[in-house]
Amino acid sequence: MPAASALFEPYTLRSLTIPNRIWMAPMCQYSAEAFGPGAGVANDWHLAHYAARAAGGTGLILVEATGVSPEGRISPADLGIWNDTQVEAFRRITRLLEEQGTVPGIQIAHAGRKASTDRPWQGGAPLAPGTEEGWQPVGPSPVAFDPDHTVPTELTVDQIKEITGQFADAARRAQDAGFKVVEIHGAHGYLIGEFLSPHSNKRTDAYGGSFENRVRLALEVTDAVRAVWPEELPLFFRVSATDWLEEGGWNADDTVRLAALLKERGVDLLDVSTGGNAAGVRIPVGPGYQVPFAARVRDESALPVAAVGLITEPAQAEKILANGEADAVLLGRELLRNPSWARQAARELGAEPHIPKQYLRAR
């Protein structure tokens, strides 16, 4: 292992420098209030949750999928960024993260046909429209995610334009809240990903059919967000590189084509995940199973990428970067298990860890 760890090299995008390449992937906490003035507002749980990972040395934290509208939430307990009360609550989190040297980022999202589901620990079942917490989902086409989900209402072109505007408004509020990175959620079978894939998009208008039509919403949202997001700050886009379908779905070739188009429109990094849009598919899950998709995008589009998916060991993460397969790694569940994973990695790789001054006596 080299004396200078690739994981702990700073990384600069536009005018922003991230202190290391260990980043936290967006992971919903399903812990906000569902209704009233507290709906979608970050609370003490979110503050403690993100603060712990910052104190543990994580270089960039992407706050969980945050709804651009109430109807865009995955569950009624998701965070939102459609009003100023939510912005003010986020300021506590962004201030604390920056005090620890961590860059605060946020993923803005619309759940589309997968909206209106219960919290995972309560079963995660779809919540039917008209029930106490449920609402009517929308999507590119009236095609349900699976037999248990509500058939979504097909969006009109005017409604598509409205949602595009909601993404731009969310980006403006993200800046006001103190975030330094915005990530557009185009993965895991949520609204933008639904438009990308012919598996879920059966439209025959300008937003369906050909590749050029199916990527239209992704590009329009990107243009709208980039137009309001500060020029000096980076913009990320998360994509599912494949639906894991043998035919009739979104695939790696499509992802490489999309990456080139996103780069032209000012996206600075592609967060490469997979799956989530087709129910019941078999995914060959294993350590680093999504890394080859990130590596291909990086090689063929020259767009920087972050790799994600069962990256759990420091030596494994170091190898991904040293081999040029990605520019950074995004950790998910491993950071739920171990908030101080970055400090552990620093010890194993001979790097200098971040230690809060309050903890220096325990070094």
Side-chain angles (χ1 to χ4, degrees):
M1 195 64 62
S5 166
L7 272 178
F8 289 91
E9 291 179 2
Y11 189 57
T12 298
L13 289 166
R14 298 191 183 240
S15 66
L16 180 73
T17 298
I18 303 169
N20 62 45
R21 314 295 182 97
I22 301 166
W23 301 351
M24 182 174 176
M27 289 176 286
C28 289
Q29 296 298 291
Y30 307 101
S31 296
E33 292 182 23
F35 305 109
V41 176
N43 55 35
D44 289 348
W45 171 262
H46 300 95
L47 180 67
H49 170 65
Y50 291 114
R53 278 79 196 163
T58 307
L60 165 70
I61 289 177
L62 288 170
V63 168
E64 62 207 73
T66 303
V68 299
S69 69
E71 301 77 22
R73 294 174 293 176
I74 301 167
S75 85
D78 283 12
L79 292 180
I81 192 162
W82 64 81
N83 66 42
D84 293 340
T85 301
Q86 295 158 347
V87 168
E88 186 60 35
F90 276 132
R91 287 183 182 135
R92 295 178 66 209
I93 294 173
T94 59
R95 282 195 300 266
L96 196 153
L97 267 54
E98 289 201 287
E99 287 172 3
Q100 291 301 318
T102 296
V103 172
I106 187 171
Q107 184 186 74
I108 54 176
H110 193 296
R113 66 176 184 164
K114 293 174 76 175
S116 188
T117 60
D118 207 347
R119 303 147 186 83
W121 51 84
Q122 294 176 187
L127 299 169
T131 57
E132 183 179 1
E133 291 191 325
W135 65 90
Q136 175 61 38
V138 297
S141 304
V143 179
F145 174 66
D146 63 24
D148 293 330
H149 277 72
T150 302
V151 175
T153 299
E154 181 173 305
L155 288 165
T156 67
V157 171
D158 286 345
Q159 289 171 326
I160 291 170
K161 300 298 184 185
E162 181 181 357
I163 289 172
T164 299
Q166 290 170 348
F167 272 94
D169 290 343
R172 288 191 193 94
R173 290 193 175 96
Q175 181 190 4
D176 290 344
F179 289 104
K180 304 302 182 186
V181 174
V182 157
E183 177 174 272
I184 298 167
H185 197 356
H188 302 158
Y190 299 119
L191 185 68
I192 294 175
E194 293 163 17
F195 271 85
L196 294 177
S197 175
H199 178 72
S200 45
N201 184 347
K202 308 297 182 183
R203 300 175 75 98
T204 57
D205 64 1
Y207 289 90
S210 67
F211 171 87
E212 291 75 14
N213 284 355
R214 287 183 283 108
V215 303
R216 191 178 305 277
L217 176 61
L219 300 183
E220 289 180 348
V221 167
T222 298
D223 287 342
V225 169
R226 186 73 268 183
V228 302
W229 186 241
E231 182 68 23
E232 67 273 15
L233 295 178
L235 174 63
F236 292 7
F237 189 101
R238 188 168 226 193
V239 67
S240 284
T242 176
D243 286 339
W244 295 105
L245 294 169
E246 292 184 7
E247 58 183 24
W250 182 261
N251 60 42
D253 292 340
D254 296 328
T255 300
V256 171
R257 291 177 67 187
L258 176 63
L261 296 172
L262 292 171
K263 184 180 180 184
E264 291 174 359
R265 284 162 171 80
V267 168
D268 299 288
L269 180 138
L270 199 67
D271 172 357
V272 184
S273 188
T274 66
N277 193 45
V281 296
R282 299 190 66 176
I283 300 176
V285 174
Y289 70 105
Q290 297 175 146
V291 173
F293 295 99
R296 182 179 169 192
V297 170
R298 190 174 189 265
D299 288 344
E300 298 184 23
S301 73
L303 183 66
V305 301
V308 65
L310 282 181
I311 299 171
T312 59
E313 300 297 331
Q316 174 198 16
E318 181 78 13
K319 185 177 179 181
I320 290 167
L321 299 187
N323 288 348
E325 295 174 287
D327 299 279
V329 294
L330 281 159
L331 303 185
R333 290 175 177 86
E334 189 62 22
L335 275 175
L336 297 184
R337 290 185 283 265
N338 181 3
S340 297
W341 190 94
R343 283 215 296 273
Q344 173 190 329
R347 288 194 299 270
E348 291 187 19
L349 301 174
E352 186 66 27
H354 163 77
I355 301 176
K357 58 182 179 291
Q358 295 91 340
Y359 296 170
L360 284 173
R361 65 182 181 271
R363 180 161 50 183

